[in-house]
Amino acid sequence: MAHCVRGLSRVEATGSSTQGYADDLNATVRYALETTRAIAVCPFHSDVTIRIGDDAAESHAFERAKKIVKSDGTNWGPKALNEEIGRQLSEAADGECPRCASH
């Protein structure tokens, strides 16, 4: 279980920065969620996103996404950011990778 949420996120592994993320709402939110550790990608199954369940990290992700959008001048409102965060969190596995847990 715990081994699925440790390690580098895709963002950390690739050394990506915020530059260019604000052009794409999905990518902006994903970046904010990963860098605040609200979500993690299973190190063994790169197609599985895990919701960590940290309310503070999720709130911080929302604030980070707002700052990215503001700094880039993109006009997505808080409602759009909140909806996209909710969508991505609802699609993530809760707490552990289901594929790892089944072994």
Side-chain angles (χ1 to χ4, degrees):
M1 177 175 120
H3 66 279
C4 291
V5 296
R6 292 191 180 144
L8 296 177
S9 71
R10 285 185 206 155
V11 172
E12 292 169 323
T14 61
S16 298
S17 69
T18 60
Q19 188 174 15
Y21 276 99
D23 295 334
D24 178 5
L25 179 60
N26 181 323
T28 299
V29 168
R30 177 130 187 133
Y31 175 83
L33 289 168
E34 282 190 19
T35 59
T36 59
R37 300 189 191 259
I39 61 171
V41 176
C42 175
F44 305 106
H45 306 103
S46 62
D47 60 327
V48 177
T49 302
I50 303 160
R51 182 178 185 173
I52 305 304
D54 182 344
D55 292 338
E58 292 173 11
S59 296
H60 186 199
F62 176 72
E63 295 302 319
R64 179 167 289 173
K66 283 192 331 186
K67 287 181 182 178
I68 293 168
V69 168
K70 184 178 179 181
S71 70
D72 192 67
T74 310
N75 291 321
W76 289 313
K79 183 178 179 186
L81 289 172
N82 216 9
E83 288 173 357
E84 182 62 18
I85 287 174
R87 185 191 69 75
Q88 289 190 31
L89 289 174
S90 70
E91 290 179 358
D94 281 331
E96 66 182 354
C97 172
R99 292 172 55 191
C100 288
S102 67
H103 292 347

Coordinates of all heavy atoms in Angstrom, one line a residue:
M1 N 0.8 -1.2 0.0 CA 0.0 0.0 0.0 C 0.9 1.2 0.0 O 0.8 2.0 -0.9 CB -0.9 0.0 1.2 CG -1.8 1.2 1.3 SD -3.0 1.1 2.7 CE -2.4 2.4 3.7
A2 N 1.7 1.5 1.0 CA 2.4 2.7 1.2 C 3.5 2.8 0.0 O 3.8 3.9 -0.4 CB 3.1 2.8 2.5
H3 N 4.0 1.7 -0.5 CA 5.0 1.8 -1.5 C 4.4 2.4 -2.8 O 5.2 2.9 -3.6 CB 5.6 0.4 -1.8 CG 4.6 -0.6 -2.4 ND1 3.8 -1.3 -1.6 CD2 4.4 -0.9 -3.7 CE1 3.0 -2.0 -2.4 NE2 3.4 -1.8 -3.7
C4 N 3.1 2.5 -3.0 CA 2.5 3.0 -4.2 C 2.5 4.5 -4.2 O 2.2 5.1 -5.2 CB 1.1 2.5 -4.4 SG 1.1 0.7 -4.8
V5 N 2.6 5.2 -3.0 CA 2.5 6.6 -3.0 C 3.8 7.3 -2.7 O 3.9 8.5 -2.7 CB 1.5 7.1 -2.0 CG1 0.1 6.6 -2.3 CG2 1.8 6.6 -0.6
R6 N 4.9 6.5 -2.6 CA 6.2 7.1 -2.4 C 7.0 7.2 -3.7 O 6.6 6.6 -4.7 CB 7.0 6.2 -1.4 CG 6.4 6.2 0.0 CD 7.3 5.6 1.0 NE 6.7 5.7 2.3 CZ 6.8 4.8 3.2 NH1 7.5 3.7 3.0 NH2 6.1 4.9 4.3
G7 N 8.0 8.0 -3.7 CA 8.8 8.2 -4.9 C 8.5 9.5 -5.5 O 7.7 10.3 -5.0
L8 N 9.1 9.7 -6.7 CA 8.9 11.0 -7.4 C 7.6 11.0 -8.2 O 7.2 10.0 -8.8 CB 10.1 11.2 -8.3 CG 11.5 11.3 -7.7 CD1 12.5 11.5 -8.7 CD2 11.5 12.5 -6.7
S9 N 7.0 12.1 -8.2 CA 5.8 12.3 -9.1 C 6.4 12.5 -10.5 O 7.5 12.7 -10.7 CB 5.0 13.6 -8.6 OG 5.7 14.7 -8.9
R10 N 5.5 12.5 -11.4 CA 5.9 12.8 -12.8 C 6.5 14.2 -12.9 O 7.4 14.4 -13.7 CB 4.6 12.7 -13.7 CG 4.2 11.3 -14.0 CD 3.1 11.4 -15.0 NE 2.3 10.2 -14.8 CZ 1.1 10.0 -15.2 NH1 0.4 11.0 -15.7 NH2 0.4 8.9 -15.0
V11 N 5.9 15.1 -12.2 CA 6.4 16.5 -12.3 C 7.8 16.6 -11.7 O 8.7 17.2 -12.4 CB 5.5 17.4 -11.4 CG1 6.1 18.8 -11.3 CG2 4.1 17.5 -12.1
E12 N 8.1 15.9 -10.6 CA 9.4 16.0 -10.0 C 10.4 15.2 -10.9 O 11.5 15.6 -11.1 CB 9.4 15.4 -8.6 CG 8.7 16.2 -7.6 CD 8.4 15.5 -6.3 OE1 8.2 14.3 -6.3 OE2 8.5 16.2 -5.3
A13 N 10.0 14.1 -11.5 CA 10.9 13.3 -12.3 C 11.3 14.0 -13.6 O 12.4 13.8 -14.0 CB 10.2 11.9 -12.6
T14 N 10.4 14.8 -14.1 CA 10.7 15.4 -15.4 C 11.3 16.8 -15.2 O 11.7 17.4 -16.1 CB 9.4 15.6 -16.3 OG1 8.5 16.3 -15.6 CG2 8.8 14.2 -16.6
G15 N 11.2 17.3 -13.9 CA 11.7 18.7 -13.7 C 10.8 19.7 -14.3 O 11.3 20.8 -14.6
S16 N 9.6 19.5 -14.5 CA 8.7 20.4 -15.2 C 8.5 21.6 -14.3 O 8.5 21.5 -13.0 CB 7.3 19.8 -15.5 OG 7.5 18.7 -16.3
S17 N 8.2 22.8 -14.9 CA 7.9 24.0 -14.1 C 6.5 24.4 -14.5 O 5.8 23.8 -15.3 CB 8.9 25.1 -14.4 OG 8.7 25.5 -15.7
T18 N 6.1 25.5 -13.9 CA 4.7 26.0 -14.2 C 4.6 26.6 -15.6 O 3.5 26.8 -16.1 CB 4.3 27.1 -13.2 OG1 5.2 28.2 -13.3 CG2 4.3 26.5 -11.8
Q19 N 5.7 26.9 -16.2 CA 5.7 27.5 -17.5 C 4.9 26.6 -18.5 O 5.2 25.5 -18.7 CB 7.1 27.7 -18.1 CG 7.1 28.6 -19.3 CD 8.6 28.9 -19.7 OE1 9.5 28.3 -19.2 NE2 8.7 29.8 -20.6
G20 N 3.9 27.2 -19.1 CA 3.1 26.5 -20.1 C 1.9 25.7 -19.6 O 1.0 25.4 -20.3
Y21 N 1.8 25.5 -18.3 CA 0.7 24.8 -17.7 C -0.6 25.6 -17.8 O -1.6 25.0 -17.9 CB 1.0 24.4 -16.2 CG 1.8 23.1 -16.2 CD1 3.2 23.2 -15.9 CD2 1.2 21.9 -16.3 CE1 3.9 22.0 -15.8 CE2 1.9 20.7 -16.2 CZ 3.3 20.8 -16.0 OH 4.0 19.7 -15.9
A22 N -0.5 26.9 -17.6 CA -1.8 27.7 -17.5 C -2.5 27.7 -18.8 O -3.7 28.1 -18.9 CB -1.5 29.1 -17.0
D23 N -1.9 27.3 -19.9 CA -2.6 27.2 -21.2 C -3.6 26.0 -21.2 O -4.4 26.0 -22.1 CB -1.6 27.0 -22.3 CG -0.7 28.2 -22.5 OD1 -1.1 29.3 -22.1 OD2 0.5 28.0 -23.0
D24 N -3.5 25.1 -20.4 CA -4.3 23.9 -20.3 C -4.8 23.7 -18.9 O -4.1 23.4 -18.0 CB -3.5 22.7 -20.8 CG -4.2 21.4 -20.8 OD1 -5.4 21.4 -20.5 OD2 -3.6 20.4 -21.1
L25 N -6.1 23.8 -18.7 CA -6.7 23.7 -17.4 C -6.4 22.4 -16.8 O -6.1 22.3 -15.6 CB -8.3 24.0 -17.5 CG -9.0 23.9 -16.2 CD1 -8.5 24.9 -15.2 CD2 -10.5 24.1 -16.4
N26 N -6.6 21.3 -17.5 CA -6.3 20.0 -17.0 C -4.9 19.8 -16.5 O -4.6 19.4 -15.4 CB -6.6 18.9 -18.1 CG -6.4 17.5 -17.7 OD1 -5.5 17.2 -16.9 ND2 -7.2 16.6 -18.2
A27 N -3.9 20.3 -17.3 CA -2.5 20.2 -16.9 C -2.2 21.1 -15.7 O -1.4 20.7 -14.9 CB -1.6 20.5 -18.1
T28 N -2.8 22.3 -15.7 CA -2.6 23.2 -14.6 C -3.0 22.6 -13.3 O -2.3 22.6 -12.3 CB -3.3 24.5 -14.8 OG1 -2.9 25.1 -16.0 CG2 -3.2 25.5 -13.6
V29 N -4.2 22.0 -13.3 CA -4.7 21.4 -12.1 C -3.9 20.2 -11.7 O -3.6 20.0 -10.5 CB -6.2 21.1 -12.2 CG1 -6.7 20.2 -11.1 CG2 -7.0 22.4 -12.3
R30 N -3.6 19.4 -12.7 CA -2.7 18.2 -12.4 C -1.4 18.6 -11.8 O -1.0 18.0 -10.8 CB -2.5 17.4 -13.7 CG -1.6 16.2 -13.4 CD -2.2 15.0 -14.0 NE -1.5 13.8 -13.7 CZ -2.0 12.7 -13.3 NH1 -3.3 12.7 -13.1 NH2 -1.3 11.7 -13.0
Y31 N -0.8 19.6 -12.3 CA 0.5 20.1 -11.8 C 0.3 20.5 -10.3 O 1.1 20.2 -9.5 CB 1.0 21.2 -12.7 CG 2.2 21.9 -12.1 CD1 3.5 21.3 -12.4 CD2 2.2 23.0 -11.4 CE1 4.6 21.9 -11.9 CE2 3.3 23.6 -10.9 CZ 4.5 23.1 -11.1 OH 5.7 23.7 -10.6
A32 N -0.7 21.3 -10.1 CA -1.0 21.8 -8.7 C -1.2 20.6 -7.8 O -0.7 20.6 -6.6 CB -2.1 22.8 -8.7
L33 N -2.0 19.7 -8.2 CA -2.3 18.5 -7.3 C -1.1 17.7 -7.0 O -0.8 17.3 -5.9 CB -3.4 17.7 -7.9 CG -4.8 18.3 -7.9 CD1 -5.7 17.4 -8.8 CD2 -5.4 18.4 -6.5
E34 N -0.2 17.5 -8.0 CA 1.0 16.7 -7.8 C 2.0 17.4 -7.0 O 2.6 16.8 -6.1 CB 1.6 16.3 -9.2 CG 0.9 15.1 -9.9 CD 1.6 14.6 -11.1 OE1 2.9 14.8 -11.2 OE2 1.0 13.9 -11.9
T35 N 2.2 18.7 -7.2 CA 3.3 19.4 -6.5 C 2.9 19.7 -5.1 O 3.8 19.9 -4.3 CB 3.7 20.7 -7.3 OG1 2.5 21.5 -7.4 CG2 4.3 20.4 -8.6
T36 N 1.6 19.7 -4.7 CA 1.2 19.8 -3.3 C 1.1 18.5 -2.7 O 0.7 18.4 -1.5 CB -0.1 20.6 -3.2 OG1 -1.1 20.0 -3.9 CG2 0.1 22.1 -3.7
R37 N 1.3 17.4 -3.4 CA 1.2 16.0 -2.9 C -0.3 15.7 -2.5 O -0.5 14.9 -1.6 CB 2.2 15.8 -1.9 CG 3.6 16.0 -2.4 CD 4.6 15.5 -1.4 NE 5.9 15.9 -1.8 CZ 6.8 15.1 -2.4 NH1 6.5 13.9 -2.7 NH2 8.0 15.6 -2.8
A38 N -1.2 16.3 -3.2 CA -2.6 15.9 -3.0 C -2.9 14.6 -3.7 O -3.8 13.8 -3.3 CB -3.6 17.0 -3.4
I39 N -2.1 14.4 -4.8 CA -2.2 13.1 -5.5 C -0.8 12.6 -5.8 O 0.2 13.4 -5.7 CB -3.0 13.3 -6.9 CG1 -2.3 14.3 -7.8 CG2 -4.4 13.6 -6.7 CD1 -2.8 14.3 -9.2
A40 N -0.7 11.4 -6.1 CA 0.6 10.8 -6.5 C 0.3 9.8 -7.6 O -0.8 9.2 -7.7 CB 1.3 10.1 -5.3
V41 N 1.3 9.5 -8.4 CA 1.2 8.5 -9.4 C 1.9 7.3 -8.9 O 3.0 7.4 -8.3 CB 1.9 9.0 -10.7 CG1 1.9 7.9 -11.8 CG2 1.2 10.3 -11.2
C42 N 1.2 6.2 -9.0 CA 1.8 4.9 -8.6 C 3.2 4.7 -9.3 O 3.2 4.8 -10.6 CB 0.9 3.7 -8.9 SG 1.6 2.1 -8.5
P43 N 4.2 4.4 -8.6 CA 5.5 4.3 -9.3 C 5.6 3.0 -10.1 O 6.5 2.9 -11.0 CB 6.6 4.3 -8.1 CG 5.8 3.9 -6.9 CD 4.4 4.4 -7.2
F44 N 4.7 2.1 -9.9 CA 4.7 0.8 -10.6 C 3.7 0.8 -11.8 O 3.7 -0.1 -12.6 CB 4.4 -0.3 -9.7 CG 5.4 -0.4 -8.5 CD1 5.0 0.0 -7.3 CD2 6.7 -0.7 -8.8 CE1 5.9 0.0 -6.2 CE2 7.7 -0.7 -7.7 CZ 7.2 -0.3 -6.5
H45 N 2.7 1.7 -11.7 CA 1.6 1.7 -12.7 C 1.4 3.2 -13.0 O 0.6 3.9 -12.4 CB 0.3 1.1 -12.1 CG 0.5 -0.3 -11.6 ND1 0.6 -0.6 -10.3 CD2 0.7 -1.5 -12.3 CE1 0.8 -1.9 -10.2 NE2 0.9 -2.4 -11.4
S46 N 2.1 3.7 -14.0 CA 2.1 5.1 -14.3 C 0.7 5.6 -14.8 O 0.5 6.8 -14.8 CB 3.1 5.4 -15.4 OG 2.8 4.8 -16.6
D47 N -0.2 4.7 -15.1 CA -1.6 5.2 -15.5 C -2.5 5.3 -14.3 O -3.7 5.6 -14.5 CB -2.1 4.2 -16.5 CG -2.2 2.8 -16.0 OD1 -1.4 2.4 -15.2 OD2 -3.2 2.1 -16.5
V48 N -2.0 5.0 -13.1 CA -2.9 5.0 -11.9 C -2.5 6.3 -11.0 O -1.3 6.4 -10.6 CB -2.7 3.7 -11.0 CG1 -3.5 3.8 -9.7 CG2 -3.1 2.5 -11.8
T49 N -3.5 7.1 -10.8 CA -3.3 8.3 -9.9 C -4.0 7.9 -8.6 O -5.1 7.4 -8.5 CB -4.0 9.5 -10.5 OG1 -3.4 9.7 -11.8 CG2 -3.8 10.7 -9.7
I50 N -3.3 8.3 -7.5 CA -3.7 8.0 -6.1 C -4.1 9.3 -5.4 O -3.2 10.2 -5.4 CB -2.7 7.2 -5.4 CG1 -2.3 5.9 -6.1 CG2 -3.1 6.9 -4.0 CD1 -1.0 5.4 -5.8
R51 N -5.3 9.4 -4.9 CA -5.6 10.5 -4.0 C -5.1 10.2 -2.6 O -5.4 9.2 -2.0 CB -7.1 10.7 -4.0 CG -7.6 11.9 -3.2 CD -9.1 12.0 -3.2 NE -9.5 13.2 -2.6 CZ -10.8 13.7 -2.6 NH1 -11.7 13.0 -3.2 NH2 -11.1 14.8 -1.9
I52 N -4.3 11.1 -2.1 CA -3.7 10.9 -0.8 C -4.7 11.1 0.3 O -4.6 10.5 1.4 CB -2.4 11.9 -0.6 CG1 -1.5 11.7 -1.8 CG2 -1.8 11.7 0.7 CD1 -1.0 10.3 -2.0
G53 N -5.6 12.0 0.2 CA -6.6 12.3 1.2 C -6.2 13.3 2.2 O -6.7 13.4 3.3
D54 N -5.4 14.2 1.8 CA -4.9 15.3 2.6 C -5.7 16.6 2.3 O -5.4 17.2 1.2 CB -3.4 15.5 2.4 CG -2.8 16.6 3.3 OD1 -3.5 17.4 3.9 OD2 -1.5 16.6 3.4
D55 N -6.6 17.0 3.1 CA -7.4 18.1 2.8 C -6.6 19.4 2.6 O -6.9 20.3 1.8 CB -8.5 18.4 3.9 CG -9.6 17.3 3.9 OD1 -9.8 16.6 2.8 OD2 -10.2 17.1 4.9
A56 N -5.6 19.6 3.5 CA -4.8 20.8 3.4 C -4.0 20.8 2.1 O -3.9 21.9 1.4 CB -3.8 20.8 4.6
A57 N -3.5 19.7 1.6 CA -2.8 19.6 0.3 C -3.8 20.0 -0.8 O -3.4 20.6 -1.8 CB -2.2 18.3 0.1
E58 N -5.0 19.5 -0.7 CA -6.0 19.8 -1.8 C -6.4 21.2 -1.8 O -6.5 21.8 -2.9 CB -7.2 18.9 -1.6 CG -6.9 17.4 -1.8 CD -8.1 16.5 -1.5 OE1 -9.2 16.9 -1.3 OE2 -7.8 15.3 -1.5
S59 N -6.5 21.9 -0.6 CA -6.7 23.3 -0.6 C -5.6 24.1 -1.1 O -5.7 25.1 -1.8 CB -7.0 23.7 0.9 OG -8.2 23.1 1.3
H60 N -4.4 23.6 -0.8 CA -3.2 24.3 -1.3 C -3.1 24.2 -2.8 O -2.6 25.1 -3.5 CB -1.9 23.7 -0.6 CG -0.7 24.4 -0.9 ND1 0.6 23.8 -0.7 CD2 -0.4 25.6 -1.4 CE1 1.5 24.6 -1.1 NE2 1.0 25.7 -1.5
A61 N -3.5 23.0 -3.3 CA -3.5 22.8 -4.8 C -4.4 23.9 -5.5 O -4.0 24.4 -6.5 CB -3.9 21.4 -5.1
F62 N -5.5 24.1 -4.9 CA -6.5 25.1 -5.4 C -5.8 26.5 -5.5 O -5.8 27.2 -6.5 CB -7.8 25.1 -4.6 CG -8.7 26.2 -5.1 CD1 -9.4 26.1 -6.3 CD2 -9.0 27.3 -4.3 CE1 -10.3 27.0 -6.7 CE2 -9.8 28.3 -4.7 CZ -10.5 28.2 -5.9
E63 N -5.2 26.9 -4.4 CA -4.5 28.2 -4.3 C -3.3 28.2 -5.3 O -3.1 29.2 -5.9 CB -4.0 28.4 -2.9 CG -5.1 28.6 -1.9 CD -6.1 29.7 -2.3 OE1 -5.7 30.8 -2.7 OE2 -7.3 29.5 -2.1
R64 N -2.6 27.1 -5.4 CA -1.5 27.1 -6.4 C -2.0 27.2 -7.8 O -1.4 28.0 -8.6 CB -0.7 25.8 -6.2 CG 0.5 25.8 -7.2 CD 1.5 24.7 -6.8 NE 2.2 25.1 -5.6 CZ 3.1 24.3 -5.0 NH1 3.3 23.1 -5.4 NH2 3.7 24.7 -3.9
A65 N -3.0 26.5 -8.1 CA -3.6 26.6 -9.5 C -4.1 28.1 -9.8 O -3.9 28.6 -10.9 CB -4.8 25.6 -9.6
K66 N -4.7 28.7 -8.8 CA -5.1 30.1 -9.0 C -4.0 31.0 -9.3 O -4.0 31.9 -10.1 CB -5.9 30.6 -7.7 CG -7.3 30.1 -7.6 CD -8.1 30.9 -6.5 CE -7.4 31.4 -5.4 NZ -8.4 32.0 -4.3
K67 N -2.8 30.8 -8.6 CA -1.7 31.6 -8.8 C -1.0 31.4 -10.1 O -0.6 32.3 -10.8 CB -0.6 31.4 -7.7 CG -1.0 32.0 -6.4 CD 0.0 31.7 -5.3 CE -0.4 32.3 -4.0 NZ 0.5 32.1 -2.9
I68 N -1.0 30.1 -10.6 CA -0.5 29.8 -11.9 C -1.3 30.5 -13.0 O -0.8 31.2 -13.9 CB -0.5 28.3 -12.2 CG1 0.5 27.6 -11.2 CG2 -0.2 28.0 -13.6 CD1 0.4 26.1 -11.2
V69 N -2.6 30.4 -12.9 CA -3.5 31.0 -13.8 C -3.4 32.6 -13.8 O -3.3 33.2 -14.8 CB -5.0 30.6 -13.6 CG1 -5.9 31.4 -14.4 CG2 -5.1 29.1 -13.9
K70 N -3.3 33.1 -12.6 CA -3.2 34.6 -12.5 C -1.9 35.1 -13.1 O -1.8 36.1 -13.8 CB -3.3 35.0 -11.0 CG -3.2 36.5 -10.8 CD -3.4 36.8 -9.3 CE -3.3 38.2 -9.0 NZ -3.5 38.6 -7.6
S71 N -0.8 34.4 -12.8 CA 0.5 34.8 -13.3 C 0.6 34.7 -14.8 O 1.4 35.4 -15.4 CB 1.7 34.0 -12.7 OG 1.6 32.7 -13.2
D72 N -0.1 33.8 -15.4 CA -0.1 33.7 -16.9 C -1.1 34.5 -17.6 O -1.1 34.7 -18.8 CB -0.4 32.2 -17.2 CG -0.1 31.9 -18.6 OD1 1.1 31.9 -19.0 OD2 -1.0 31.6 -19.4
G73 N -2.1 35.1 -16.8 CA -3.1 35.9 -17.4 C -4.3 35.2 -18.0 O -5.1 35.7 -18.7
T74 N -4.3 33.9 -17.8 CA -5.4 33.1 -18.3 C -6.6 33.4 -17.5 O -6.6 33.6 -16.3 CB -5.1 31.6 -18.2 OG1 -3.8 31.3 -18.8 CG2 -6.1 30.7 -18.9
N75 N -7.8 33.3 -18.1 CA -9.0 33.8 -17.5 C -9.9 32.6 -17.0 O -11.1 32.7 -17.2 CB -9.8 34.7 -18.4 CG -9.1 36.0 -18.6 OD1 -8.5 36.6 -17.7 ND2 -9.1 36.5 -19.8
W76 N -9.4 31.6 -16.4 CA -10.2 30.6 -15.8 C -10.6 31.1 -14.4 O -9.7 31.5 -13.6 CB -9.5 29.3 -15.7 CG -9.3 28.6 -17.0 CD1 -10.2 28.5 -18.0 CD2 -8.1 28.0 -17.5 NE1 -9.7 27.8 -19.0 CE2 -8.4 27.5 -18.7 CE3 -6.8 27.9 -16.9 CZ2 -7.5 26.9 -19.5 CZ3 -5.9 27.2 -17.7 CH2 -6.2 26.7 -19.0
G77 N -11.9 31.0 -14.1 CA -12.3 31.5 -12.8 C -12.2 30.4 -11.7 O -11.9 29.2 -12.1
P78 N -12.4 30.8 -10.5 CA -12.3 29.8 -9.4 C -13.2 28.6 -9.5 O -12.9 27.5 -9.2 CB -12.6 30.6 -8.1 CG -12.3 32.0 -8.5 CD -12.6 32.1 -10.0
K79 N -14.4 28.9 -10.1 CA -15.4 27.8 -10.3 C -14.8 26.7 -11.3 O -14.9 25.5 -11.0 CB -16.7 28.3 -10.8 CG -17.8 27.3 -11.0 CD -19.1 27.8 -11.4 CE -20.1 26.7 -11.6 NZ -21.3 27.2 -12.2
A80 N -14.2 27.1 -12.3 CA -13.7 26.2 -13.3 C -12.5 25.4 -12.7 O -12.4 24.2 -12.9 CB -13.2 26.9 -14.6
L81 N -11.7 26.1 -11.9 CA -10.6 25.4 -11.2 C -11.1 24.4 -10.2 O -10.6 23.2 -10.2 CB -9.7 26.4 -10.5 CG -8.8 27.3 -11.4 CD1 -8.1 28.4 -10.6 CD2 -7.8 26.5 -12.2
N82 N -12.1 24.8 -9.5 CA -12.7 23.9 -8.4 C -13.3 22.7 -9.1 O -13.1 21.6 -8.6 CB -13.7 24.7 -7.6 CG -13.7 24.3 -6.2 OD1 -12.8 23.6 -5.7 ND2 -14.7 24.8 -5.4
E83 N -14.0 22.9 -10.2 CA -14.6 21.8 -10.9 C -13.6 20.8 -11.4 O -13.8 19.6 -11.3 CB -15.6 22.3 -12.0 CG -16.8 22.9 -11.5 CD -17.7 23.6 -12.5 OE1 -17.2 23.6 -13.7 OE2 -18.8 24.1 -12.2
E84 N -12.5 21.3 -12.0 CA -11.5 20.5 -12.5 C -10.7 19.7 -11.4 O -10.4 18.5 -11.6 CB -10.5 21.3 -13.4 CG -9.4 20.4 -14.0 CD -9.9 19.4 -15.0 OE1 -11.1 19.4 -15.5 OE2 -9.2 18.4 -15.3
I85 N -10.5 20.4 -10.3 CA -9.9 19.7 -9.2 C -10.8 18.6 -8.7 O -10.3 17.4 -8.5 CB -9.5 20.7 -8.0 CG1 -8.3 21.5 -8.4 CG2 -9.3 20.0 -6.7 CD1 -8.0 22.7 -7.5
G86 N -12.1 18.9 -8.5 CA -13.0 17.8 -8.1 C -13.1 16.7 -9.1 O -13.1 15.5 -8.6
R87 N -13.0 16.9 -10.4 CA -13.1 15.9 -11.4 C -11.8 15.0 -11.2 O -12.0 13.8 -11.2 CB -13.2 16.5 -12.8 CG -13.3 15.4 -13.9 CD -13.1 16.0 -15.3 NE -11.8 16.4 -15.5 CZ -10.8 15.6 -15.8 NH1 -10.9 14.3 -15.8 NH2 -9.6 16.0 -16.0
Q88 N -10.7 15.6 -11.2 CA -9.4 14.8 -11.1 C -9.3 14.0 -9.8 O -8.9 12.9 -9.8 CB -8.2 15.7 -11.3 CG -8.1 16.2 -12.7 CD -6.8 16.9 -13.0 OE1 -5.7 16.5 -12.4 NE2 -6.8 17.8 -14.0
L89 N -9.8 14.6 -8.7 CA -9.7 13.9 -7.4 C -10.7 12.8 -7.4 O -10.4 11.7 -6.9 CB -10.0 14.9 -6.2 CG -8.9 15.9 -5.9 CD1 -9.4 16.8 -4.8 CD2 -7.6 15.2 -5.5
S90 N -11.9 13.0 -8.0 CA -12.9 11.9 -8.0 C -12.4 10.7 -8.9 O -12.8 9.6 -8.7 CB -14.2 12.4 -8.5 OG -14.2 12.7 -9.8
E91 N -11.6 11.0 -9.9 CA -11.1 9.9 -10.8 C -9.9 9.2 -10.2 O -9.6 8.1 -10.7 CB -10.7 10.5 -12.2 CG -11.9 10.9 -13.0 CD -11.6 11.5 -14.3 OE1 -10.4 11.7 -14.6 OE2 -12.5 11.9 -15.1
A92 N -9.3 9.7 -9.2 CA -8.1 9.1 -8.6 C -8.5 8.0 -7.6 O -9.6 8.0 -7.0 CB -7.3 10.2 -7.9
A93 N -7.7 7.0 -7.5 CA -7.9 5.9 -6.5 C -7.7 6.5 -5.1 O -6.9 7.3 -4.9 CB -6.9 4.8 -6.8
D94 N -8.5 6.0 -4.2 CA -8.4 6.5 -2.8 C -7.3 5.7 -2.0 O -7.5 4.6 -1.7 CB -9.8 6.3 -2.1 CG -10.7 7.4 -2.4 OD1 -10.3 8.5 -2.8 OD2 -12.0 7.1 -2.4
G95 N -6.3 6.5 -1.7 CA -5.3 6.0 -0.7 C -4.3 5.0 -1.2 O -3.2 4.9 -0.6
E96 N -4.6 4.2 -2.2 CA -3.6 3.2 -2.6 C -3.9 2.8 -4.1 O -5.0 3.0 -4.6 CB -3.6 1.9 -1.7 CG -4.9 1.2 -1.8 CD -4.9 0.0 -0.9 OE1 -3.9 -0.4 -0.3 OE2 -6.0 -0.7 -0.7
C97 N -3.0 2.2 -4.7 CA -3.1 1.8 -6.1 C -3.9 0.5 -6.1 O -3.5 -0.5 -5.4 CB -1.8 1.5 -6.7 SG -1.8 0.7 -8.3
P98 N -5.1 0.4 -6.7 CA -5.9 -0.8 -6.7 C -5.1 -2.0 -7.4 O -5.3 -3.1 -7.0 CB -7.1 -0.4 -7.4 CG -6.8 0.8 -8.2 CD -5.7 1.5 -7.5
R99 N -4.3 -1.7 -8.3 CA -3.5 -2.8 -9.0 C -2.5 -3.4 -8.1 O -2.3 -4.6 -8.0 CB -3.0 -2.3 -10.3 CG -4.1 -2.0 -11.3 CD -3.7 -1.3 -12.6 NE -2.6 -2.0 -13.3 CZ -1.9 -1.5 -14.3 NH1 -2.2 -0.3 -14.7 NH2 -1.0 -2.1 -14.9
C100 N -1.8 -2.5 -7.3 CA -0.8 -3.0 -6.3 C -1.5 -3.8 -5.2 O -1.0 -4.8 -4.7 CB 0.0 -1.9 -5.7 SG 1.2 -1.2 -6.9
A101 N -2.7 -3.2 -4.7 CA -3.4 -3.8 -3.6 C -3.9 -5.2 -4.0 O -4.1 -6.1 -3.1 CB -4.5 -2.9 -3.2
S102 N -4.1 -5.5 -5.3 CA -4.7 -6.8 -5.6 C -3.7 -7.9 -5.7 O -4.0 -9.0 -5.9 CB -5.4 -6.7 -7.0 OG -4.5 -6.4 -8.0
H103 N -2.4 -7.5 -5.5 CA -1.3 -8.6 -5.5 C -1.0 -9.1 -4.2 O -1.0 -8.5 -3.2 CB 0.0 -8.0 -6.1 CG -0.1 -7.7 -7.6 ND1 -1.2 -8.1 -8.4 CD2 0.7 -7.0 -8.4 CE1 -1.0 -7.7 -9.6 NE2 0.1 -7.0 -9.7

